[in-house]
Amino acid sequence: MAAPVAERKPLPTGTAGGGALRLGVAGLGTVGCGLLAILQRNADLIAARAGRPLQVTAVSVRQRRKKRPLDPGPVRWHANPVDLARDPEVDVVVELIGGASGPARDLCLAALKAGKPVVTANKAMLAEHGGLLARQAASSGTVLAYEAAVAGAIPVIKTLREGLAGNRVHRLYGILNGTCNYILTTMEQTGRDFADVLAEAQRLGYAEADPSFDVDGIDAAHKLAILASLAFGSIIDFRKVHVEGISRVSAADIAMASELGYRIKLLGLAQMEQGGLVQRVHPCLVPLDTPIAHVDGVYNAVVTESCAAGRILLEGRGAGAEPTASAVAADLIDIAAGRFAPVFGVPGRHLARLRPGSMRDHVGCYYVRLQVHDQPGVIADISAILKRNGISIESLLQHGRAVDDERGVPVVMTTHEAREASMDKALGAIARLASVLDRPHAIRIEKLNEAEEG
Amino acid sequence: MAAPVAERKPLPTGTAGGGALRLGVAGLGTVGCGLLAILQRNADLIAARAGRPLQVTAVSVRQRRKKRPLDPGPVRWHANPVDLARDPEVDVVVELIGGASGPARDLCLAALKAGKPVVTANKAMLAEHGGLLARQAASSGTVLAYEAAVAGAIPVIKTLREGLAGNRVHRLYGILNGTCNYILTTMEQTGRDFADVLAEAQRLGYAEADPSFDVDGIDAAHKLAILASLAFGSIIDFRKVHVEGISRVSAADIAMASELGYRIKLLGLAQMEQGGLVQRVHPCLVPLDTPIAHVDGVYNAVVTESCAAGRILLEGRGAGAEPTASAVAADLIDIAAGRFAPVFGVPGRHLARLRPGSMRDHVGCYYVRLQVHDQPGVIADISAILKRNGISIESLLQHGRAVDDERGVPVVMTTHEAREASMDKALGAIARLASVLDRPHAIRIEKLNEAEEG
C-alpha cells in the first residue's frame, strides 16, 4: 500500500505573490467578508503558520458594486462563479455562495475536476451531494475541506477526522443549530412561547424571514449527516436522518422539564443501534447535570463518545461572520501547509453504506404532556393503556385543578425506557380517550450519561 | 518562500508489513500498553484513516519479563531505548518513558538527529527542553508530535496549531491537572479537607506517592508552558510560569466560595498583559455560571479566546491509559498520512522571546479569608488598610460569633479589581494587626467572561 501523500497531485505553488497560495472566493456575504477581514488582519501570522502567504486573487459576486464592510483590493472579478475554477491565477476555490445545488455545486465540481482544492462552508451541498463531490476530489487527487460547514468556529471536523482517528466512535450528539438554541434558551429565560420568541429572533436577525430551515431541524440534520459520515465511516445519507423541529415545544414544556431536572435542547444524535446507524434530530430533555444542558444562546456544542478517548465535548460559536471564517481560514492554512485528509476521513472505498436504524426500534425514556378533563379515572385509564403497551411511568405531575373544565388541566409524565413503536401505539390510544383533550405531546428524554464508558 | 512541505524529508515507507509505518515504542507502562491495545483493536480502522498500517516493530522496556496486560507480539527488544533511534526497522519513535531529561531526552534527540519522527507524551521534557528538541526536528526536517502531553485525549494541541491557525489568541486557560481537579471536586462534594482527600486519592491511585508534582502545580505549569508557546508564538519558557499549588485551599474556602457563587479550580492561564506574556498556575475562584466551573473529577478542559473564533471550550479525559494513547495514535496517524506542522505551530525563526509579564502588575479581584479576634474595630482596621492601598471591598461575610476567642472567627471578603502589588502590601499590613490571628489567605478570582469578545 503506497502512502496516500504520493497519490496526491502537488499543489500549484503559483507565481503571484512569491509563492503565495492564491484564493478565488465565491460569495462576499457575511462569511466572505469575515474571511477577508481575517486574512488582512492576521496576514503575517497566517503566512508564518501556513508557510506561505494567502492571497485573494479573484472573487465572484452577484453585485460587484454592492457596499461591503471590506474592499478585497486589486482582484479579478468574475460574474460567473464557475470561472474561478478556470482562472489560472486561482490555486484554491473558496465556495461561500450557499445552496445545495446550482452555482455552488457547479463551481465545486468544476474546481475539483480542474484539480483545485475546494474549501466550503456549505452544509446543505455536502449533505445532499457530499458523496459525488468526495468521489470527484479523490479521482482528481485533490482536497475538499469543510470545517466551516458544521458548528462554526469549533474544529469538530478536524477532531473527528484526525484528533480521534485512533478511535471507534460509539455515539455523537450535539447542539448544531444556533437559531434553535437561541429560541429555546430565550423561551426558558423569559417564559415566553415559541411564536413570540421566533418573531423577536427574526426582528433581531437571529432567524431568517423563512425560518423553517432552522426551526424544522433541516439545517441541524445536514450537519449531523456530515458528522455521522466522518464518525462512523458511512456514506453520507442525509435522507435517512429522522428530523423533528422545535415548533411544538411550548413554554409549559420548558417549565415542566425544568421542574423535572431537565432542559429542552434540539439535539442531533448519531449512534449504532442493533447494527443500524440511527441519525436523528429532535427536541430532547437533557439532564441539568450534563454539560450540554448549559450550552446556551448562539453557542453550539458537539460531544463524541469513543472507545479510547471517552467523552469529548467541544463548545463554541456556531455561526457568525468571523467564527465561520475562522474555520475557512484553518482549512486554507492546512492546504497551504500541505496537510490533507480524505474528504470523509477514509478513502471512499472504505466508506460503508450502513443500514439505517429504525426509529420504531429506538428505546428511550419519554416526557409526555397531556391536556385532560379534570375528572376521576382519567389517570387510571391512561396508566392502563401504558401498562398494556409495556410502558412504566417514572413520574407524574398534575398542577392545580381546572377552573374551566372545557380547557382541562395539564398532566405531565415521564416514562422508564420504552420502545418507540410501543410509545406511539400507547399515545394513539390515549389520544382516543374521551377525557383527553389535545393530541398528547411527547418529547424524548436523553439521559446522555449511559453510553459514556462505551 | 518555499512551501514547507518541500523542506521536509519524505518519510521512509519501509519494507516490513507492505508499506506499514514501523513504530519503535519506548516504555510499556500504562500509556504504552494503552497504545498497543488501540493499535491492535482498531488496526483496520487506523490503517484506513492513516492510508497504511501502523505496526510496532520494536520496543524498549526496563524489564522485559514483567507481566503486562498485552503482548506486543514478535518485536525487537532493546535494553537501551536510544537503540530504537538506530534500529533500521523503526520509522517513528514513540517516547513513553517520561522524565524531563535522561533516557527520554537522549532517545528523542537521537531519533530526531537520525531524521525519524518522534511522538511523545512527555510534558516535562517539552517544558524543559522543547526549544532544543524543536530546533533539532527543524534542522533534520522531521516531526516532533506531542498531542498526548497536554490534556490527555483532548485534541488541544491540534486545535491551537491548526484549528485556530487563522486566529490571534487573546487568552487561554484550563484545568490541566486531573489529580488536583479530583481533589478539589471531592473536597467540595464531601466537605473534607485537603490532606484527608489527598490521602484517599493516593490510596485509590489517583495521586502519586509523592504528590508534589501534581498538587504544587508543576505538572499544570509544564502543560501551560506548552500551550502558551503554541497560542502566542513564544519560545517555550516554563521558568517564567508563576506557580502556586492547591495545598493551602481549605474546606472552608470551598464552602465560602460556593456561598459567594464560585467554585475553586486550579487553573493554568496565559494572556498578554501590558505587552508581556503572563503565564500563571494557581487556585482560582471561578463563577458558577462559567462552563469550566462544572468540569469535575478527572476531566480536563481548555478554553481559548481568540480574535475570530471567540471562545472555544474543549473538555475530556485528561489522563489514563487509553485517553492518553488515543492522542498518541492521532499523532501517529497524522505522520503516516503525511500531515505535518512545525513543532510550535510556526517555524522557529518566527517564535518570539516574549517579555514575561510580572504578577505584581496583575490586576484582578481577590477572595481573602482572615481569622480575627471577635472584637469591635477589627473590620474598621482592615477596611482602612485596604482603602489606603486603593482596594475596595465587594462583599464581606462573617459567620457566627466566637465561642472561644483564642481561635477567633473567620472573616471572608471579596475585592473589586486591584493590582497584585497593592494587594500584597495590604495583606502584609493586615497580617501585622494584633486582632488578626493567622496569615491572611488570598485566592484570586477569575471572572472569565470579560475578555471573551477580545
Side-chain angles (χ1 to χ4, degrees), chain A residues 333-370:
Chain A
I333 293 166
D334 272 352
I335 290 168
R339 288 188 292 264
F340 307 108
V343 176
F344 291 108
V346 291
R349 68 182 181 280
H350 289 288
L351 290 172
R353 190 171 296 282
L354 296 178
R355 184 172 71 75
S358 160
M359 281 306 284
R360 292 184 59 77
D361 296 329
H362 173 73
V363 173
C365 302
Y366 294 82
Y367 157 100
V368 182
R369 179 169 50 85
L370 300 162

Short mmCIF file of all heavy atoms in Angstrom, two decimals, chain A residues 333-370:
data_model
loop_
_atom_site.label_atom_id
_atom_site.label_comp_id
_atom_site.label_asym_id
_atom_site.label_seq_id
_atom_site.Cartn_x
_atom_site.Cartn_y
_atom_site.Cartn_z
N ILE A 333 -5.17 27.23 5.57
CA ILE A 333 -3.81 27.11 6.10
C ILE A 333 -3.34 25.66 6.00
O ILE A 333 -2.19 25.39 5.64
CB ILE A 333 -3.75 27.66 7.55
CG1 ILE A 333 -3.99 29.18 7.51
CG2 ILE A 333 -2.41 27.33 8.22
CD1 ILE A 333 -4.29 29.81 8.87
N ASP A 334 -4.24 24.72 6.30
CA ASP A 334 -3.88 23.30 6.13
C ASP A 334 -3.48 23.02 4.68
O ASP A 334 -2.49 22.32 4.42
CB ASP A 334 -5.08 22.40 6.49
CG ASP A 334 -5.11 22.05 7.98
OD1 ASP A 334 -4.15 22.36 8.70
OD2 ASP A 334 -6.13 21.46 8.40
N ILE A 335 -4.25 23.54 3.76
CA ILE A 335 -3.96 23.30 2.34
C ILE A 335 -2.62 23.95 1.96
O ILE A 335 -1.79 23.32 1.31
CB ILE A 335 -5.12 23.82 1.45
CG1 ILE A 335 -6.34 22.92 1.64
CG2 ILE A 335 -4.69 23.89 -0.02
CD1 ILE A 335 -7.63 23.47 1.06
N ALA A 336 -2.42 25.17 2.41
CA ALA A 336 -1.16 25.87 2.10
C ALA A 336 0.04 25.11 2.67
O ALA A 336 1.10 25.06 2.06
CB ALA A 336 -1.20 27.29 2.66
N ALA A 337 -0.16 24.50 3.85
CA ALA A 337 0.94 23.79 4.51
C ALA A 337 1.07 22.35 4.02
O ALA A 337 1.94 21.62 4.48
CB ALA A 337 0.73 23.80 6.02
N GLY A 338 0.18 21.95 3.13
CA GLY A 338 0.28 20.60 2.58
C GLY A 338 -0.31 19.52 3.46
O GLY A 338 0.05 18.36 3.34
N ARG A 339 -1.23 19.88 4.36
CA ARG A 339 -1.88 18.87 5.21
C ARG A 339 -3.22 18.47 4.61
O ARG A 339 -4.09 19.33 4.44
CB ARG A 339 -2.10 19.44 6.63
CG ARG A 339 -0.82 19.59 7.43
CD ARG A 339 -1.11 19.95 8.88
NE ARG A 339 -1.66 21.29 9.01
CZ ARG A 339 -0.96 22.38 9.30
NH1 ARG A 339 0.35 22.30 9.49
NH2 ARG A 339 -1.54 23.55 9.40
N PHE A 340 -3.36 17.20 4.28
CA PHE A 340 -4.57 16.73 3.62
C PHE A 340 -5.14 15.52 4.33
O PHE A 340 -4.41 14.77 4.95
CB PHE A 340 -4.27 16.29 2.19
CG PHE A 340 -3.56 17.31 1.38
CD1 PHE A 340 -2.22 17.13 1.04
CD2 PHE A 340 -4.20 18.45 0.95
CE1 PHE A 340 -1.55 18.07 0.29
CE2 PHE A 340 -3.53 19.40 0.20
CZ PHE A 340 -2.20 19.21 -0.13
N ALA A 341 -6.45 15.32 4.17
CA ALA A 341 -7.07 14.07 4.62
C ALA A 341 -8.17 13.75 3.61
O ALA A 341 -8.69 14.66 2.96
CB ALA A 341 -7.64 14.22 6.01
N PRO A 342 -8.54 12.48 3.47
CA PRO A 342 -9.67 12.17 2.60
C PRO A 342 -10.92 12.90 3.08
O PRO A 342 -11.05 13.19 4.28
CB PRO A 342 -9.83 10.66 2.75
CG PRO A 342 -8.52 10.16 3.28
CD PRO A 342 -7.96 11.28 4.10
N VAL A 343 -11.84 13.18 2.16
CA VAL A 343 -12.99 14.03 2.46
C VAL A 343 -13.77 13.55 3.68
O VAL A 343 -14.08 14.33 4.58
CB VAL A 343 -13.92 14.12 1.22
CG1 VAL A 343 -15.17 14.93 1.55
CG2 VAL A 343 -13.18 14.75 0.05
N PHE A 344 -14.08 12.26 3.73
CA PHE A 344 -14.81 11.75 4.89
C PHE A 344 -13.91 10.90 5.80
O PHE A 344 -14.35 9.94 6.43
CB PHE A 344 -16.07 11.00 4.45
CG PHE A 344 -17.10 11.93 3.87
CD1 PHE A 344 -17.36 11.94 2.50
CD2 PHE A 344 -17.78 12.83 4.67
CE1 PHE A 344 -18.28 12.82 1.95
CE2 PHE A 344 -18.70 13.72 4.14
CZ PHE A 344 -18.96 13.72 2.78
N GLY A 345 -12.63 11.25 5.84
CA GLY A 345 -11.71 10.64 6.81
C GLY A 345 -11.00 9.40 6.33
O GLY A 345 -9.90 9.10 6.79
N VAL A 346 -11.65 8.64 5.45
CA VAL A 346 -11.02 7.44 4.87
C VAL A 346 -11.26 7.49 3.36
O VAL A 346 -12.21 8.13 2.89
CB VAL A 346 -11.62 6.13 5.44
CG1 VAL A 346 -11.24 5.96 6.90
CG2 VAL A 346 -13.13 6.09 5.26
N PRO A 347 -10.42 6.80 2.59
CA PRO A 347 -10.67 6.75 1.14
C PRO A 347 -12.06 6.17 0.88
O PRO A 347 -12.56 5.34 1.65
CB PRO A 347 -9.57 5.80 0.64
CG PRO A 347 -8.50 5.85 1.68
CD PRO A 347 -9.20 6.07 2.98
N GLY A 348 -12.68 6.64 -0.19
CA GLY A 348 -14.06 6.26 -0.50
C GLY A 348 -14.34 4.77 -0.46
O GLY A 348 -15.41 4.35 -0.01
N ARG A 349 -13.35 3.94 -0.86
CA ARG A 349 -13.60 2.50 -0.89
C ARG A 349 -13.81 1.93 0.52
O ARG A 349 -14.34 0.83 0.66
CB ARG A 349 -12.45 1.78 -1.61
CG ARG A 349 -11.13 1.81 -0.87
CD ARG A 349 -9.99 1.11 -1.63
NE ARG A 349 -8.74 1.13 -0.88
CZ ARG A 349 -7.91 2.18 -0.80
NH1 ARG A 349 -8.20 3.30 -1.46
NH2 ARG A 349 -6.79 2.10 -0.11
N HIS A 350 -13.37 2.66 1.54
CA HIS A 350 -13.55 2.20 2.92
C HIS A 350 -14.87 2.65 3.52
O HIS A 350 -15.21 2.24 4.63
CB HIS A 350 -12.40 2.69 3.81
CG HIS A 350 -11.10 2.01 3.54
ND1 HIS A 350 -10.86 0.71 3.89
CD2 HIS A 350 -9.97 2.45 2.94
CE1 HIS A 350 -9.64 0.37 3.53
NE2 HIS A 350 -9.07 1.42 2.95
N LEU A 351 -15.59 3.55 2.85
CA LEU A 351 -16.86 4.02 3.40
C LEU A 351 -17.92 2.93 3.20
O LEU A 351 -17.99 2.31 2.14
CB LEU A 351 -17.31 5.31 2.71
CG LEU A 351 -16.49 6.56 3.02
CD1 LEU A 351 -16.92 7.71 2.11
CD2 LEU A 351 -16.63 6.97 4.49
N ALA A 352 -18.73 2.71 4.21
CA ALA A 352 -19.75 1.67 4.15
C ALA A 352 -21.13 2.29 3.98
O ALA A 352 -21.37 3.40 4.45
CB ALA A 352 -19.71 0.85 5.43
N ARG A 353 -22.02 1.58 3.30
CA ARG A 353 -23.42 2.02 3.26
C ARG A 353 -24.11 1.33 4.44
O ARG A 353 -24.52 0.18 4.34
CB ARG A 353 -24.07 1.66 1.93
CG ARG A 353 -25.45 2.29 1.74
CD ARG A 353 -26.00 2.11 0.33
NE ARG A 353 -25.21 2.79 -0.70
CZ ARG A 353 -25.25 4.09 -0.95
NH1 ARG A 353 -26.05 4.88 -0.27
NH2 ARG A 353 -24.50 4.60 -1.91
N LEU A 354 -24.17 2.02 5.56
CA LEU A 354 -24.71 1.40 6.77
C LEU A 354 -26.23 1.36 6.71
O LEU A 354 -26.88 2.31 6.28
CB LEU A 354 -24.25 2.17 8.01
CG LEU A 354 -22.74 2.18 8.27
CD1 LEU A 354 -22.41 3.03 9.50
CD2 LEU A 354 -22.21 0.76 8.45
N ARG A 355 -26.77 0.23 7.16
CA ARG A 355 -28.22 0.09 7.24
C ARG A 355 -28.75 1.14 8.22
O ARG A 355 -28.24 1.25 9.33
CB ARG A 355 -28.53 -1.31 7.78
CG ARG A 355 -29.98 -1.68 7.84
CD ARG A 355 -30.15 -3.15 8.20
NE ARG A 355 -29.81 -3.48 9.58
CZ ARG A 355 -30.57 -3.18 10.65
NH1 ARG A 355 -31.71 -2.55 10.49
NH2 ARG A 355 -30.18 -3.50 11.85
N PRO A 356 -29.74 1.94 7.79
CA PRO A 356 -30.29 2.91 8.74
C PRO A 356 -31.11 2.22 9.81
O PRO A 356 -31.93 1.36 9.50
CB PRO A 356 -31.15 3.82 7.87
CG PRO A 356 -31.47 3.02 6.65
CD PRO A 356 -30.38 2.01 6.47
N GLY A 357 -30.88 2.58 11.06
CA GLY A 357 -31.69 2.03 12.14
C GLY A 357 -33.08 2.66 12.09
O GLY A 357 -33.25 3.79 11.63
N SER A 358 -34.07 1.93 12.56
CA SER A 358 -35.43 2.45 12.53
C SER A 358 -35.77 3.12 13.85
O SER A 358 -35.45 2.61 14.92
CB SER A 358 -36.40 1.29 12.27
OG SER A 358 -37.69 1.67 12.68
N MET A 359 -36.45 4.27 13.75
CA MET A 359 -36.87 4.94 14.97
C MET A 359 -37.90 4.11 15.73
O MET A 359 -38.04 4.25 16.95
CB MET A 359 -37.46 6.33 14.66
CG MET A 359 -36.42 7.40 14.39
SD MET A 359 -35.18 7.59 15.71
CE MET A 359 -36.14 8.46 16.96
N ARG A 360 -38.63 3.25 15.03
CA ARG A 360 -39.60 2.40 15.71
C ARG A 360 -38.92 1.48 16.72
O ARG A 360 -39.49 1.10 17.73
CB ARG A 360 -40.40 1.56 14.71
CG ARG A 360 -41.34 2.41 13.83
CD ARG A 360 -42.17 1.54 12.90
NE ARG A 360 -43.00 0.57 13.62
CZ ARG A 360 -44.13 0.85 14.25
NH1 ARG A 360 -44.58 2.09 14.25
NH2 ARG A 360 -44.80 -0.09 14.88
N ASP A 361 -37.66 1.11 16.43
CA ASP A 361 -36.92 0.23 17.34
C ASP A 361 -36.17 1.00 18.41
O ASP A 361 -35.53 0.40 19.27
CB ASP A 361 -35.89 -0.59 16.53
CG ASP A 361 -36.57 -1.52 15.54
OD1 ASP A 361 -37.70 -1.96 15.84
OD2 ASP A 361 -36.00 -1.77 14.47
N HIS A 362 -36.20 2.32 18.31
CA HIS A 362 -35.47 3.13 19.28
C HIS A 362 -36.01 2.87 20.68
O HIS A 362 -37.22 2.80 20.88
CB HIS A 362 -35.60 4.61 18.92
CG HIS A 362 -35.01 5.52 19.96
ND1 HIS A 362 -33.66 5.66 20.13
CD2 HIS A 362 -35.60 6.31 20.89
CE1 HIS A 362 -33.44 6.51 21.13
NE2 HIS A 362 -34.59 6.92 21.60
N VAL A 363 -35.12 2.73 21.63
CA VAL A 363 -35.52 2.53 23.02
C VAL A 363 -35.05 3.73 23.84
O VAL A 363 -33.87 4.10 23.77
CB VAL A 363 -34.91 1.22 23.59
CG1 VAL A 363 -35.18 1.11 25.09
CG2 VAL A 363 -35.46 0.02 22.84
N GLY A 364 -35.96 4.36 24.54
CA GLY A 364 -35.57 5.51 25.36
C GLY A 364 -36.67 5.87 26.33
O GLY A 364 -37.72 5.21 26.40
N CYS A 365 -36.43 6.91 27.08
CA CYS A 365 -37.43 7.41 28.02
C CYS A 365 -38.17 8.57 27.36
O CYS A 365 -37.65 9.22 26.46
CB CYS A 365 -36.76 7.88 29.30
SG CYS A 365 -35.80 6.60 30.10
N TYR A 366 -39.37 8.83 27.83
CA TYR A 366 -40.20 9.86 27.21
C TYR A 366 -40.81 10.78 28.26
O TYR A 366 -41.14 10.34 29.37
CB TYR A 366 -41.33 9.22 26.38
CG TYR A 366 -40.80 8.46 25.19
CD1 TYR A 366 -40.33 7.16 25.35
CD2 TYR A 366 -40.73 9.06 23.94
CE1 TYR A 366 -39.80 6.46 24.27
CE2 TYR A 366 -40.21 8.36 22.85
CZ TYR A 366 -39.74 7.07 23.03
OH TYR A 366 -39.22 6.39 21.96
N TYR A 367 -40.96 12.02 27.83
CA TYR A 367 -41.74 13.01 28.56
C TYR A 367 -43.03 13.15 27.77
O TYR A 367 -43.00 13.27 26.53
CB TYR A 367 -40.95 14.32 28.56
CG TYR A 367 -41.75 15.60 28.75
CD1 TYR A 367 -41.82 16.22 29.99
CD2 TYR A 367 -42.39 16.21 27.67
CE1 TYR A 367 -42.51 17.40 30.16
CE2 TYR A 367 -43.10 17.39 27.83
CZ TYR A 367 -43.17 17.99 29.08
OH TYR A 367 -43.86 19.16 29.23
N VAL A 368 -44.19 13.11 28.45
CA VAL A 368 -45.47 13.23 27.75
C VAL A 368 -46.32 14.29 28.44
O VAL A 368 -46.48 14.25 29.67
CB VAL A 368 -46.24 11.88 27.75
CG1 VAL A 368 -47.55 12.02 26.98
CG2 VAL A 368 -45.37 10.78 27.16
N ARG A 369 -46.81 15.23 27.66
CA ARG A 369 -47.72 16.24 28.22
C ARG A 369 -49.11 16.04 27.63
O ARG A 369 -49.27 15.94 26.41
CB ARG A 369 -47.21 17.65 27.91
CG ARG A 369 -48.14 18.75 28.43
CD ARG A 369 -47.51 20.14 28.37
NE ARG A 369 -46.94 20.44 27.06
CZ ARG A 369 -47.63 20.93 26.04
NH1 ARG A 369 -48.93 21.17 26.14
NH2 ARG A 369 -47.03 21.18 24.90
N LEU A 370 -50.10 15.97 28.51
CA LEU A 370 -51.48 15.74 28.09
C LEU A 370 -52.35 16.87 28.63
O LEU A 370 -52.07 17.42 29.70
CB LEU A 370 -52.00 14.44 28.70
CG LEU A 370 -51.27 13.16 28.34
CD1 LEU A 370 -51.61 12.07 29.35
CD2 LEU A 370 -51.66 12.73 26.93
#
